[in-house]
Structure formats: structure tokens, C-alpha cells
Amino acid sequence: MTDEVILYTNPQSRGRIARWMLEEVGAPYRAEILEYGGSMKAPAYRKINPMGKVPAIVHGSDVVTEGAAICAYLAEAFPQAGLAPKPEERASYYRWLFFAAGPLESSIIDFKTFGVEPDAEKQMMVGYGSYAAVLDNLSQWFMGHTYVTGERFTAADVYVGSQINWGLQFGTIEKRVEFVDYARRVTDRDAYRRAMEKDDALMEKA
């Protein structure tokens, strides 16, 4: 398998998460920039991701979509970066990676974007329960942990950190001190800055 990764993205999308992860692992990659409503929905790209959404990566014959999956895949495909979980870190790594991709994102979209908050009865039917419960659960974790798995930065922090950082920037996550401090830690990295500079430059050209 070739080491080069093809990243399908748009600078105004969750593709920023995948680019950050690629910069973290040091993988050789090239970015294919897709347009909303245009090349993103074209038949050629739908062969890669039938959903017509970004990000997606192609690595040899492997295709991976969904931000959390891309982070986990790249950590294992490029183990020299040391961002995959150690055996003793796996529980918290997978727990919070999927928590951010599921309950956290779903509750933010429902409550903050659509203005929908399930009542007490319906909270038993949705995976996240309530927006407040999700934030309380996540904030309690970061009251006692520097990173997702404890004291070491991993691929899970790229995804969880992106969700929290965006939430703080756009006002969809409360500015609790534990979230603010965590976001500052995970974004104070050379790989993060490189990734953001590249996507910001693309936005300036648009």
C-alpha cells in the first residue's frame, strides 16, 4: 500500500478534523477540494462516499469516511506517530471518541441548531438523553484528566478537541473552564496550526 493519502475536503467543513489528523501523523497526503452542491454531489465523488459529504480519505484501496473513523484509522495506519491508544488507554479512548461523534454532536445539533430539547419521556428514547447531561458528563471527565486518555495526547483528542473547540467558538458549548482549558491544550500544537493555516488559506482564495 502506498503511504500517500488522498483527502477529500472543503475548508468550511469537518474536513478540517481530518487534515489536522493527517498533519499529526505526518502522512504524505494531497487534498482534493470539493464544492458544496457541485463536485461534492457529483457521480465521481459519490463512488467514494455515496453520502456526498466530506471528509473522506482514500489510502491505497481503503476508503474511510466520518471524522472519528478517519482519526482512528490514521492513528493505526501510521503507528510511528504514537497516537493510537496503548492497551491501558483503549477504554477511555474509544469511550470518548464515540461519545463525541454520537451523543455530543447529536445533542448540539438538536438543541442548539434545531432548537429541539426532548422532554423527560423522550429523553429515554434518544442516545444522549439531554444536552445538559451530555455537557455535565464530558466536563466531569476533563475536571480530572488532561487529555481523553489521561496525560497523553492521542488521536481521540483530535476529534474530541475539534468538537469542543468549535462549540466554544460558535457558542454551542458552554464556556466552562474545563472545556476552555482543554481546548487550549489540544490546539497548542504545531500540527493543528499547520492544518488551520492551510484551510484558512483556501478560504481566502475562495
Side-chain angles (χ1 to χ4, degrees):
M1 178 186 292
T2 178
D3 278 344
E4 185 182 58
V5 177
I6 303 172
L7 167 65
Y8 294 89
T9 187
N10 181 288
Q12 292 181 293
S13 75
R14 293 172 179 83
R16 284 181 174 251
I17 302 173
R19 188 190 288 276
W20 178 11
M21 186 62 195
L22 284 162
E23 293 288 341
E24 288 283 356
V25 299
Y29 74 94
R30 61 182 171 89
E32 295 287 340
I33 310 303
L34 303 181
E35 304 282 341
Y36 283 105
S39 53
M40 205 178 291
K41 301 297 184 182
Y45 181 61
R46 283 185 179 271
K47 290 180 181 179
I48 295 168
N49 185 358
M51 294 289 289
K53 291 181 174 289
V54 292
I57 63 169
V58 175
H59 185 211
S61 60
D62 292 333
V63 176
V64 189
T65 66
E66 316 314 316
I70 290 171
C71 288
Y73 174 86
L74 290 172
E76 295 183 14
F78 298 90
Q80 64 274 18
L83 296 180
K86 297 177 181 178
E88 65 274 16
E89 296 172 332
R90 288 174 184 159
S92 56
Y93 177 93
Y94 288 113
R95 175 188 179 185
W96 296 109
L97 180 61
F98 291 115
F99 184 86
L104 179 60
E105 182 163 346
S106 295
S107 66
I108 288 173
I109 291 174
D110 283 357
F111 186 58
K112 290 296 187 177
T113 304
F114 299 143
V116 176
E117 176 74 304
D119 59 29
E121 181 179 353
K122 291 180 179 177
Q123 285 178 15
M124 298 189 304
M125 302 167 63
V126 294
Y128 60 81
S130 71
Y131 171 78
V134 168
L135 291 196
D136 288 346
N137 189 26
L138 193 58
S139 65
Q140 286 172 12
W141 181 260
F142 287 116
M143 285 179 187
H145 300 84
T146 304
Y147 297 107
V148 166
T149 62
E151 297 302 313
R152 193 176 75 89
F153 182 93
T154 66
D157 292 293
V158 173
Y159 190 82
V160 177
S162 293
Q163 292 282 10
I164 291 177
N165 191 49
W166 283 346
L168 293 171
Q169 289 182 32
F170 293 105
T172 57
I173 287 181
E174 297 171 3
K175 291 188 176 180
R176 303 183 185 186
V177 64
E178 54 273 17
F179 292 151
V180 173
D181 288 348
Y182 171 69
R184 185 181 299 115
R185 285 193 296 274
V186 297
T187 59
D188 187 22
R189 298 177 64 82
D190 289 341
Y192 174 83
R193 285 186 280 270
R194 288 196 304 271
M196 295 307 109
E197 286 171 2
K198 290 175 181 178
D199 276 325
D200 288 346
L202 287 170
M203 289 182 64
E204 290 176 4
K205 292 178 181 179

